Amino acid sequence: MLKLGVNIDHVATLREARYRDDRYSINVEPSPKTAADLTIAGGADSITMHVREDLRHLQPEDARAIKSSVSVPINLEMGLTQELIDFALELSPDDVCLVPEHRQEVTTEGGLNVTTNFAAIKSCTKTLQNAGILVSLFIDPDLKAIELAADIGAAKIELHTGQFANTEPDSQARADSLERLDEAACLAHSLGIIVNAGHGINYHNIEDILTLPHLNELNIGHSIISRSIAVGLTAATAEMKALMESYTVTS
Ligand code: PXP
């Protein structure tokens, strides 16, 4: 079964828009923890949270509250800072997905530069693995990066689908980006790495994503949270899960 990780960061984005300076106000809403429960009720297989260095949306206390209350695995996305490594060791999520982080970006733009940051990523991966946390690397569909992920000993990669998501349906650019993702998934799988994918996946382009081989989990945030405005989070999650049902996991 292809799993769905729901990224709930944008629930906190909405809260911060109003209550950044008064998160303990009696009026504070919406609650990321309630959102996590609602997505699980809709069939989410895991909850993904990105506690950013600049704390622009989720706060460490959100992550702690969700980790201690939900029954599904937690996937913590984080940048490579000592402060966040310490936080991950304290939180002890099931998975950590290492992502690049730039303060100016609106959302995570581009995968990790595994070549430039090889030593830091390897050291962080070992530290987290020694604490029993599975480490995933968020990388572009680049064959060199995948070989380096294998050298690092990462259990998983998350293929960055942002470039794919920015292409027009049925265009040559879409076909080319799918081919790159396909080759990357095949190489990672042949190296024994579990393949996840995420960023920019929505209710429309998921049809093309489901043509890719060897997928284990999709991490989806913005489109599910956006759809929830119309139908609620449980239904929005269930709709996405229903679209994923036809996928056959290849061994
Ligand atoms: N995976 C990673 C590593 C991300 O950084 C993000 C964005 O926070 C997502 C998945 C989800 O992307 P989107 O919100 O576009 O679905």
Side-chain angles (χ1 to χ4, degrees), residues 7 9-10 50 77 97 99 107-108 138 158 198-201 219-223:
N7 183 318
D9 298 346
H10 293 309
H50 188 176
E77 290 176 2
C97 181
V99 302
T107 180
T108 315
F138 185 50
E158 180 171 327
H199 203 94
I201 299 175
N219 282 310
I220 307 179
H222 192 270
S223 66

Side-chain angles (χ1 to χ4, degrees), residues 139-143 145-146 159-161 163 177 180-182 184-185:
I139 52 179
D140 293 318
D142 170 78
L143 302 186
I146 288 158
L159 289 173
H160 192 314
T161 50
Q163 193 266 335
S177 73
R180 277 194 295 278
L181 287 163
D182 191 314

Side-chain angles (χ1 to χ4, degrees), residues 16 86 96 102 121 140 146 158 174 177 200 202 236:
E16 298 295 296
D86 291 344
V96 157
H102 311 290
I121 296 171
D140 293 318
I146 288 158
E158 180 171 327
R174 166 84 39 116
S177 73
N202 60 39

Side-chain angles (χ1 to χ4, degrees), residues 67-89:
K67 168 73 173 53
S68 66
S69 71
V70 304
S71 52
V72 300
I74 295 293
N75 173 31
L76 177 71
E77 290 176 2
M78 54 172 255
L80 276 167
T81 69
Q82 190 55 49
E83 209 180 354
L84 289 168
I85 294 169
D86 291 344
F87 177 64
L89 293 172

